[in-house]
Amino acid sequence: MQRSTLTGQRLVAVFLIGFVLFNYPVLSLFDRTATLFGLPLVFAYLFLVWAGLILLMAWVVERRGDRAERLDRAGG
Amino acid sequence: MLQGPVVIAVSFLYLALLFAVAYWGDKRADAGRSIISNPTIYALSMAVYCTTWTYYGSVGRAAVTGVGFLPIYLGPTLVMTLGGFLLLKMIRTAKANRITSIADFIASRYGKSQLLGGLVTVIAVVGIVPYISLQLKAVAISYDLIAGYPALVSPTGGHGPILADTTFYIALILAAFTILFGTRHLDATERHEGMVAAVALESVVKLLAFGAVGLFVTFGLYNGVGDIFERAMADPQLAQLTAVASGSRGYATWFSLTLLAGLAILFLPRQFQVTVVENVSEAHLKRAIWLFPLYLLLINLFVLPIALGGLMHFSGQGMNADTFVLTLPMSAQHEWLALLVFVGGLSAATGMVIVETIALSTMVCNDLVMPLLLRTKRLALNAERDLSGLLLSIRRGAILVILLLGYLYFRLAGDAYALVGIGLISFSAVAQFAPAMIGGMYWRGGTRNGALAGLLAGFVVWGYTLLLPSFSKSGWFPASFLSEGPFGIELLKPHQLFGLTGLDDISHCLFWSFAANIGAYVFVSLLRAPTAAEASQATQFVDALKTTRPVGSALWRGSADAADLVALVGRFLGPARAQTAFASYARRHGLADAERLEADADLVHYAESLLAGAIGSASARAMVASVAKEEPLSLPEVMNILDEASQLRTYSRELERKSRELEAATGELKAANDRLLEVDRLKDDFMASVSHELRTPLTSIRAFSEILRDDPKTALPDRERFLGIIVSETERLTRLVNQILDMAKIESGNAEWLVDEVDMNAVVEQSVATTSQLFRDKGVVLSLDLADSVPLIRADQDRLMQVVINLLSNAVKFVPVNAGRVTVRLAADAESLKVSVTDNGPGIRREDQKVIFDRFRQGGDAMTSKPTGTGLGLPISLKIVEYFGGRLWVESEPGQGASFIFTLPLHNQENGKSE
C-alpha cells in the first residue's frame, strides 16, 4: 500500500513536469530559430523532454529495491 | 510487380496471417495458456491508437503545421503517467462490474440507466464514424496510388458510382474480416484474446514499416537528419514548420490538441476495449505506462524528416503530403519498400477498424438494440428460447452498418479534410465522455440526469461546431451556413459561436462543448440528491480502489427462483454455459450442484453480473427484474447500508486496535506476574535460609544449656567451655539478626545513610585497626599498600568501614593459620578509587564467584565444610558499594588466593543512585 501510493505520487509529479515542459510558456523559450546538433531547437527539445519523461516513468514504475516492494513480493 | 492483383493478393495473405494469429490466440486462450498475458503485448495492443492517421496523416499534418503533429502523442504520454490512478481505477471497476464497453461503464455508474447507455452509444457511433471513414480513405488512397505505379497519381476528388469505388469494397472486406475476427462464436462475455494478439502483431508491423521508410528517406534520399533540416531551414517557408507558434497556429491549439489526445487515449471505444476490457492483469499496466509512450516516440521520430524531405522532393508537384510515406519510395522505384509501406498502412487501418467496430458493435448490441428489443417485444423475447444467436447476429449487423456509415461519411465529407482533420472531429466527440466518466469516478454527487444533460449538451455543440461544418465544406450543406451563420445569424456561425474568434475550429469546439457539457452535468446533478440506485453505484465506482467496499449483493432485496435465474441466463449465454457457470458457483458455495442453489441476494447478483457481460448492465438489471420480485430500496435504506458498511469498517479497525492493545497489556501482566512469582520464590528461599541459619546456633545453645541444667556434676573446665560456646553462638545469633535487619533496611530503601566527605585512607586504616586482633590471633601477616593521599569522596564512612571490615574478616577466615598473608591496596585514578583485599587462601571456584554475592551462599561445599560466616556479609557489602555507584567483584584462581576488589566513583551523586 505504502509503495503504490508513493509510486502514484511520483507519477503525478512526472505528469506535472511534463505538463509544464510541454506547454506555453516554457515551450516558447525553445520556440526560436536555433539549432541543436543540427536539429531545429524546438524539435530537439520536444523529443529530448519526451524521452526524458519516458525514462523517468520507467524508472518510477520498474525500480526495484524499495523495501515495501520486496515485502510485497515476499508476501505474494 | 506492383499491379493491382499482386497488391490485393499480398493484402489478403497478410489478413490471412493475422487471422491465423488470432485463431491461434483464441485456441491458446481456450486451452488456458494465454499468449496475451504479457505486459509487452498489452502495451503493443494499446498502440492500436496509432492508425493510418499516424501512419499517413502525421506526415501530412507535419507538412502543414510542422511540429504541430506532436500534441496528439504528447497528450497520451502525459495521461499514461496518470495511468496508475485513472486506468487502474477503470480496470478494477470494469472487472468488478463485468463492464464490457464505455457505454456500459457510464450507464452502470449512473444507476444502470438504459437511456444513458443508449445516448453514449449514439454519441460514440456518430463520433467514431468519421474516424472509420478516415481509415477507409487512407487505405483507398494508398491502394489507388500503388496500383497506379509507376505513375504517381495524386488521387483526385470525385467519386465514381459506388459499385466501381475501391473504398466501398474495402469497407465490405473490412466488415467481413472484423465479423470473422470478433464474432466467430458467442464469446460475448469473454475477452477477445486472438484479436488482441493480432493487434499487437500489427503494431509491430506498422512500426517496422514506418521505421523503414523513415530510414530510407533520411539516409537513402538525404544524408541523414541533419542534412534534411539544414536544407529545409534554408527555405524560409519550410523553416517555419520547425516552430510551434507559427507552424501550428499558436500555443492554444497546441494545448487543446494535447488535452484532446489525452482524453482520447482514455475514452476512445477501442482504447477502452484494449486497455480496460481486454486487460488480463492489473500488473501489466506497470510496463504499459512507459512502453506505450516509448512506442509513440519511436513511430514519430521520422515524421518531420519525412514531411520535410517529401516537401523538398516533390517541390512544386502538388503532391498530397498525406501520401508522402508511400510516394517517396515509389518515386525512387523501391517497389518492395512501397509494398511494405502499403502493408504497414493496412495494419494500421485494420487494427483500428477491427477493435473499434467490435467495441462499437458491443455497445450497439447491449446498450441500444437489446434494450429496445426487450422493451418493444418483451413477450416474444420472454419465450423460452436461446437468444445467444440473436446477440451474435445483432453484433454482426452492427459491424456492417458501422462500416457502411463510415463509407457514407467518406462519400459525403471525406474529401474536404486531410486525414488528421477528420480524426480530430472524432476525438472531439469522444472527449464529451470525459466529464461523465471522470466525474463519475471521483464525484459521488453526479446523477443520471446530470450525465444525460451534460452528454447531450456537449454532443449537440460538437455536432453544430464540427460535424455540420464538415458537411457544409463538402457542399452537402449550404456554404453560407459556415460563412454567414444559419439564416444569416452572425452570432451563430458554427466556427465563431457567439462571436468567439481567434481559436482554430478544434479549440473552438472544445471550449464551447466542454463549457456546455460540464456546466450541464454539474448544474443538473446538483438539482436533486442522487437516488438509491445512483448512490449505490456511485459507491462502487468512487471507492473502486479501496480494499473493502460493500458488494453489490448487499444492496439487493427481494425474492427470486433459482431455476428462473438459470433459465434466464441460459437464454442469453446458451443453456450449456449457463449450467456450467451456475454449477461452479454452487461448488464455490459448497453445494453439490446447481439444483440446490437458493435464490438469495448473492445468487441474483451473480446472475446479473453474468448477464451484464453479455447484454450490458442496464439490460441485465432489467432482465433480472423481470424474473425476480425485487423490493426497491429507498435512498435512506441504501445510505444506511453504505453507512453500515463504512461503520463496520471503522468498528473492525477499532476492534483490531483494541485487541492489539489487549495483547500488549496481557504480555505486560504476564511478565509482571512472572516477576512477582520469582520474588515470592526468593522470599521463600530467604525465609528458609534465615530459619536454617537461626536454628543452627539456637540448637547448640539449647543443647549446651540442657547439659548444664541436667548434669550438675559437669567439671568446671567443661562448664566454662560450654558457657563460652553458648556466649559465642548467642553473639553469632545477634550478628545474624542485625545483618538481616540491615539487609532488609537497605533493600527496602529505609536504611539511614550519613553522607559526608570521606577519606578512604582513614577508612581503611580504621578498619585494619578494628580487625587487627583477628589477624594477631591467627598469626596472619597484614600488609597495607595505600596511596599517599586520595581525593575525598562523598559517602557514609561507617558503611564503607563495614564493607572493608567484612572483606578483611572474610580474608582472615580463609587464610591458613600462621602462614596467612593479607594485602590491602588503595589506589586512585582520574575517575574512581579502587580498594582491593588480597589473600593467599584456597581461592574460590569459578562457578562460586558469582553466587557468593547472593544471600546465604557461601564458597565451598555446604555439605562438607562448616559454614564460617552468616552468608550475608558480601551481599550487604555489594549493596553498599552499589549504593554509592561503585562495583564489587572477586578475582580468584583456585589454589592461588582471592582478591576482593571494589571501586567507588569520585564524582558520585550525593546519595549514590545506583538505581
Side-chain angles (χ1 to χ4, degrees), chain A residues 1 3-5 8-9 11-12 14-19 22-24 27-29 31-35 37-43 46-47 50-51 53-54 57-59 61-64 69 73, chain B residues 67 69-70 73-74 77-85 225-226 229-230 233 239 242-246 251 254-255 258 286-287 289-291 293-298 300-302 304-305 545 547:
Chain A
M1 204 60 208
R3 174 184 61 99
S4 55
T5 51
Q9 288 171 37
L11 285 175
V12 172
V14 177
F15 169 81
L16 293 175
I17 295 171
F19 187 81
F22 280 153
N23 273 298
Y24 184 84
L27 187 58
S28 69
L29 299 179
D31 197 11
R32 49 198 166 83
T33 48
T35 57
F37 312 123
L39 304 176
L41 183 64
V42 74
F43 180 80
L46 285 170
F47 273 89
W50 196 357
L53 279 186
I54 292 170
M57 287 153 82
W59 175 76
V61 296
E62 299 284 348
R63 83 194 223 103
R64 298 275 186 277
E69 184 180 25
R73 275 157 192 279
Chain B
V67 288
F69 71 96
L70 273 179
Y73 309 95
L74 299 180
T77 302
L78 289 178
V79 167
M80 285 310 280
T81 58
L82 299 181
F85 291 152
V225 184
F229 280 119
E230 198 177 322
M233 305 284 260
T242 58
V244 175
S246 57
Y251 300 109
W254 182 274
F255 172 78
T258 311
K286 208 169 109 174
R287 189 176 302 171
I289 280 178
W290 62 270
L291 195 56
L294 183 63
Y295 183 98
L296 295 180
L297 184 142
L298 290 177
N300 279 297
L301 265 182
F302 288 114
L304 198 56
L545 292 182
T547 43

Side-chain angles (χ1 to χ4, degrees), chain B residues 144-197:
Chain B
D144 285 344
L145 267 173
I146 202 165
Y149 183 82
L152 288 176
V153 194
S154 200
T156 53
H159 304 286
I162 289 181
L163 288 180
D165 189 351
T166 332
T167 321
F168 179 64
Y169 292 103
I170 290 171
L172 288 184
I173 291 167
L174 285 178
F177 190 58
T178 309
I179 287 169
L180 277 177
F181 248 99
T183 56
R184 272 186 296 125
H185 47 84
L186 185 72
D187 233 7
T189 50
E190 305 298 329
R191 304 186 322 275
H192 309 74
E193 297 225 338
M195 177 196 79
V196 174

Side-chain angles (χ1 to χ4, degrees), chain B residues 24-333:
Chain B
W24 179 57
D26 280 340
K27 280 276 163 269
R28 288 281 296 254
D30 290 343
R33 293 178 300 149
S34 170
I35 48 169
I36 67 164
S37 181
N38 173 313
T40 306
I41 293 193
Y42 180 60
L44 282 175
S45 72
M46 289 174 92
V48 72
Y49 179 71
C50 298
T51 64
T52 52
W53 164 340
T54 307
Y55 195 82
Y56 294 116
S58 273
V59 171
R61 179 85 173 173
V64 182
T65 65
V67 288
F69 71 96
L70 273 179
I72 302 302
Y73 309 95
L74 299 180
T77 302
L78 289 178
V79 167
M80 285 310 280
T81 58
L82 299 181
F85 291 152
L86 268 176
L87 289 177
L88 185 67
K89 196 165 196 176
M90 282 162 73
I91 290 172
R92 203 167 281 180
T93 312
K95 284 189 174 165
N97 296 277
R98 288 261 191 156
I99 282 167
T100 51
S101 70
I102 197 163
D104 214 7
F105 194 97
I106 295 179
S108 182
R109 161 63 182 83
Y110 297 99
K112 303 187 179 172
S113 153
Q114 289 183 331
L115 188 58
L116 197 50
L119 177 63
V120 171
T121 305
V122 169
I123 295 176
V125 170
V126 175
I128 294 302
V129 158
Y131 205 171
I132 288 176
S133 85
L134 181 164
Q135 312 301 323
L136 298 177
K137 178 180 175 182
V139 175
I141 291 175
S142 62
Y143 174 77
D144 285 344
L145 267 173
I146 202 165
Y149 183 82
L152 288 176
V153 194
S154 200
T156 53
H159 304 286
I162 289 181
L163 288 180
D165 189 351
T166 332
T167 321
F168 179 64
Y169 292 103
I170 290 171
L172 288 184
I173 291 167
L174 285 178
F177 190 58
T178 309
I179 287 169
L180 277 177
F181 248 99
T183 56
R184 272 186 296 125
H185 47 84
L186 185 72
D187 233 7
T189 50
E190 305 298 329
R191 304 186 322 275
H192 309 74
E193 297 225 338
M195 177 196 79
V196 174
V199 163
L201 174 70
E202 292 197 297
S203 293
V204 175
V205 171
K206 66 195 179 201
L207 181 61
L208 289 180
F210 195 83
V213 184
L215 290 174
F216 162 74
V217 173
T218 321
F219 298 101
L221 294 181
Y222 297 88
N223 297 321
V225 184
D227 180 43
I228 292 184
F229 280 119
E230 198 177 322
R231 291 203 216 178
M233 305 284 260
D235 181 336
Q237 211 163 1
L238 292 186
Q240 260 195 11
L241 296 182
T242 58
V244 175
S246 57
S248 59
R249 287 217 257 166
Y251 300 109
T253 309
W254 182 274
F255 172 78
S256 41
L257 291 188
T258 311
L259 175 65
L260 211 48
L263 295 177
I265 199 71
L266 293 171
F267 306 132
L268 274 174
R270 70 171 187 282
Q271 293 301 334
F272 190 86
Q273 183 79 25
V274 294
T275 313
V276 178
V277 181
E278 308 284 353
N279 173 275
V280 180
S281 154
E282 285 175 7
H284 294 173
L285 197 57
K286 208 169 109 174
R287 189 176 302 171
I289 280 178
W290 62 270
L291 195 56
F292 172 58
L294 183 63
Y295 183 98
L296 295 180
L297 184 142
L298 290 177
I299 207 165
N300 279 297
L301 265 182
F302 288 114
V303 168
L304 198 56
I306 294 177
L308 293 174
L311 283 175
M312 291 185 286
H313 191 80
F314 294 117
S315 178
Q317 294 178 33
M319 186 65 70
N320 182 350
D322 277 346
T323 66
F324 280 172
V325 179
L326 190 56
T327 47
L328 279 170
M330 281 170 68
S331 75
Q333 272 83 42

Side-chain angles (χ1 to χ4, degrees), chain B residues 3 44 199 232 241 308 372 421 423 435 478 518 568 873-874 881-882 891:
Chain B
Q3 299 85 7
L44 282 175
V199 163
L241 296 182
L308 293 174
L372 289 177
I518 298 173
L568 175 70
L874 281 176
V881 170
E882 283 180 347
E891 289 174 359

